[in-house]
Amino acid sequence: MEKLSGLSHLFMTIFLHNFSTFMVIPAITDVTMAALCPGRDECSVAIYLTGFQQAIIGLGTLVMMPLVGNLSDKYGRKALLGLPMGLAIIPLATLAYSRTRSFFYAYYVLRTLTAMVCEGSVHCLALAYVADRVPEGRRASAFGILSGIGSSAFVCGTLSTRFLSTASTFQVAASVAIVALVYMRVFLQDSIVDGNISTPILSNGKSKVDVIGNSSKNVQIFKTMPSLEDMLCLLKSSVTLSQAAVVAFFINFSEVGLHASLMYYLKARFHFNKNQFADLMVISGIAGTISQLLLMPMLAPALGEGRLLSIGLFFTCTHMFLYSIAWSFWVPYAAAMLSIFFVFSQPCMRTIVSKQVGTSEQGKAQGCISGIGSFANVVSPLVFSPLTALFLSERAPFHFPGFSIMCVGFASMIAMIQSTMMRVAPPISNERISNSNYMDA
């Protein structure tokens, strides 16, 4: 554990950023319903708008994630982190000022545009930063700890929401997002790429080259965007990477589907409000934090990332099926406890990916997998939002309010089956990172 102390500033940055992001999640459903369908517990318009937003965001991140990952390989993780962290402040500040219908629509547009760059970028860059500084043998534990930090921020953020008013929730979230950006700029050191400190994307001094040279450099940035052929070549370079891409698609497909369905389902079926959403998320977050900080560092070396990935996906399926057949108010709380197991999936899958490429391609590989996940983010809302709206309405072909969530469970089952067929190949990287790279704080 002490060898990971060089990542402390990254962990604090991720904690603060995730804290501000997660604390608004329990409140946003009530804000959306109040703005669009005041006084109602079921609103198809809200479900469709949320699904449309998620699809557009997924389409944007499908393009942006590989680009951000590639740029971070060249210019450094810290330089790229500032962009999504700064943009994330804008929609939070909008609802911090007011939550009337007009401001909600302003938030909706701003959130859609900024999330096309922000959604997943901070996590992707953090994974690449950790891979820069941590040797291959320790990455599963390090990625697990990084996810645990995210889960602890999830717990603290949603617990804060439980005791704050809706207005105060967005005000505090915007303030913490600003603190996170300032902290990152002041304290976080950039990671080392190819044995050298990465080239800064912005320079305070004048360049030695003339205007033509600067134009050439700008053209190089656009050339950094990987083509579809580049991504396919990367995936074909390793059978394990190809299998991980399939798993990543269905993991994100099911996670986004659950997110698009669950809160509206619980509100319509059990009349959940902001406080009950927060309670449910706190239970899930505490279970996930304990698992990632304590269990994963012990289980990953003993079982291997591939086997642990399959275990996590098995409990993901169970978790979703429990939600879909919830017959009482307390079943969702019992389902949330399964977070202690299903949170293994993402860090294990990302660890497997990181071991298939060298240190100079970590951003590219993680961005590629995130881009595939973003494609799932486009498809999933288009499938599950109409399905959720249909089965929560009076027009449902048969009475099964949780039918869309059961379908989400089947999608996660496909990921589980694929993971059991995955044979984790030996790392192809010939490069190794010295301990000094991640011992430096």
Side-chain angles (χ1 to χ4, degrees), residues 84-121:
M85 292 182 69
L87 290 176
I89 298 170
I90 300 173
L92 294 176
T94 302
L95 285 187
Y97 183 78
S98 177
R99 287 147 307 285
T100 60
R101 176 172 293 190
S102 58
F103 275 90
F104 170 78
Y105 282 123
Y107 160 83
Y108 182 88
V109 173
L110 290 170
R111 161 70 179 159
T112 303
L113 295 175
T114 57
M116 291 170 73
V117 177
C118 305
E119 192 86 3
S121 295

Side-chain angles (χ1 to χ4, degrees), residues 66-77 80 125 128 132 192-194 196 198-199 224 358-366:
L67 175 61
V68 169
N70 267 21
L71 287 174
S72 74
D73 285 334
K74 183 175 182 180
Y75 296 104
R77 319 303 180 198
L80 270 296
L125 293 170
D132 289 341
I192 295 176
V193 180
D194 284 330
N196 298 302
S198 52
T199 306
T224 306
T359 55
S360 62
E361 294 184 315
Q362 289 296 326
K364 181 179 181 180
Q366 298 294 349

Side-chain angles (χ1 to χ4, degrees), residues 4 6-7 10-11 14 77 123-136 138-147 191 351 354 359 362 366 433 437-438:
L4 298 175
L7 300 173
L10 175 70
F11 290 155
I14 297 303
R77 319 303 180 198
H123 184 62
C124 175
L125 293 170
L127 290 167
Y129 188 103
V130 171
D132 289 341
R133 290 182 167 240
V134 177
E136 290 169 352
R138 287 183 165 270
R139 284 184 195 162
S141 297
F143 285 174
I145 292 171
L146 180 65
S147 296
S191 56
T351 302
S354 76
T359 55
Q362 289 296 326
Q366 298 294 349
I433 306 168
N437 286 353
Y438 62 92

Side-chain angles (χ1 to χ4, degrees), residues 330-341:
W330 300 107
V331 171
Y333 294 97
M337 290 297 296
L338 292 179
S339 296
I340 200 167
F341 297 110

Side-chain angles (χ1 to χ4, degrees), residues 205-227:
K206 292 184 178 180
S207 175
K208 295 181 181 179
V209 297
D210 55 17
V211 175
I212 297 177
N214 287 333
S215 300
S216 176
K217 182 176 291 187
N218 291 334
V219 171
Q220 289 300 319
I221 291 179
F222 289 103
K223 286 184 177 180
T224 306
M225 179 180 289
S227 65

Side-chain angles (χ1 to χ4, degrees), residues 48-65 108-119 256 373-382 385:
Y48 280 116
L49 275 180
T50 301
F52 175 77
Q53 182 184 56
Q54 290 173 331
I56 294 299
I57 291 172
L59 189 62
T61 55
L62 174 62
V63 176
M64 292 303 301
M65 293 299 289
Y108 182 88
V109 173
L110 290 170
R111 161 70 179 159
T112 303
L113 295 175
T114 57
M116 291 170 73
V117 177
C118 305
E119 192 86 3
V256 173
S374 297
F375 178 64
N377 294 357
V378 176
V379 178
S380 184
L382 299 179
S385 293

Side-chain angles (χ1 to χ4, degrees), residues 41 265-273 276 323 326-332:
D41 284 336
Y265 164 70
L266 293 176
K267 190 168 189 67
R269 183 158 174 77
F270 301 114
H271 309 291
F272 270 41
N273 57 30
Q276 289 156 340
Y323 272 127
W327 62 88
S328 76
F329 183 87
W330 300 107
V331 171

Side-chain angles (χ1 to χ4, degrees), residues 133-411:
R133 290 182 167 240
V134 177
E136 290 169 352
R138 287 183 165 270
R139 284 184 195 162
S141 297
F143 285 174
I145 292 171
L146 180 65
S147 296
I149 295 297
S151 294
S152 63
F154 181 83
V155 172
C156 295
T158 51
L159 192 61
S160 299
T161 305
R162 182 68 175 79
F163 300 103
L164 292 173
S165 66
T166 301
S168 298
T169 296
F170 287 95
Q171 291 164 1
V172 172
S175 301
V176 175
I178 294 171
V179 172
L181 178 61
V182 173
Y183 183 94
M184 185 274 295
R185 297 300 304 172
V186 173
F187 294 105
L188 186 67
Q189 295 182 0
D190 214 335
S191 56
I192 295 176
V193 180
D194 284 330
N196 298 302
I197 298 296
S198 52
T199 306
I201 196 168
L202 297 175
S203 175
N204 294 328
K206 292 184 178 180
S207 175
K208 295 181 181 179
V209 297
D210 55 17
V211 175
I212 297 177
N214 287 333
S215 300
S216 176
K217 182 176 291 187
N218 291 334
V219 171
Q220 289 300 319
I221 291 179
F222 289 103
K223 286 184 177 180
T224 306
M225 179 180 289
S227 65
L228 179 60
E229 184 179 356
D230 294 332
M231 294 177 66
L232 291 176
C233 287
L234 177 64
L235 295 176
K236 289 179 180 179
S237 66
S238 167
V239 175
T240 304
L241 271 178
S242 301
Q243 293 173 322
V246 175
V247 174
F249 175 85
F250 282 103
I251 286 177
N252 283 274
F253 184 78
S254 58
E255 286 182 352
V256 173
L258 183 67
H259 179 70
S261 308
L262 184 61
M263 288 191 175
Y264 293 109
Y265 164 70
L266 293 176
K267 190 168 189 67
R269 183 158 174 77
F270 301 114
H271 309 291
F272 270 41
N273 57 30
K274 173 181 73 73
N275 292 339
Q276 289 156 340
F277 287 138
D279 292 340
L280 194 66
M281 292 175 183
V282 166
I283 293 171
S284 179
I286 290 175
T289 302
I290 293 172
S291 176
Q292 289 165 322
L293 294 181
L294 299 180
L295 295 182
M296 189 164 177
M298 294 186 296
L299 295 178
L303 299 177
E305 294 89 3
R307 187 174 299 173
L308 201 56
L309 171 62
S310 299
I311 292 172
L313 288 171
F314 170 78
F315 282 100
T316 300
C317 301
T318 307
H319 166 82
M320 293 177 181
F321 289 140
L322 274 177
Y323 272 127
S324 69
I325 61 173
W327 62 88
S328 76
F329 183 87
W330 300 107
V331 171
Y333 294 97
M337 290 297 296
L338 292 179
S339 296
I340 200 167
F341 297 110
F342 75 71
V343 292
F344 293 145
S345 304
Q346 284 284 2
C348 286
M349 188 263 295
R350 294 290 188 159
T351 302
I352 293 169
V353 170
S354 76
K355 290 182 177 181
Q356 303 304 306
V357 297
T359 55
S360 62
E361 294 184 315
Q362 289 296 326
K364 181 179 181 180
Q366 298 294 349
C368 178
I369 294 298
S370 295
I372 291 169
S374 297
F375 178 64
N377 294 357
V378 176
V379 178
S380 184
L382 299 179
V383 174
F384 292 112
S385 293
L387 200 61
T388 302
L390 175 63
F391 278 88
L392 291 181
S393 71
E394 297 178 354
R395 299 178 290 105
F398 52 89
H399 182 70
F400 193 169
F403 181 76
S404 62
I405 300 178
M406 176 166 284
C407 293
V408 170
F410 287 125

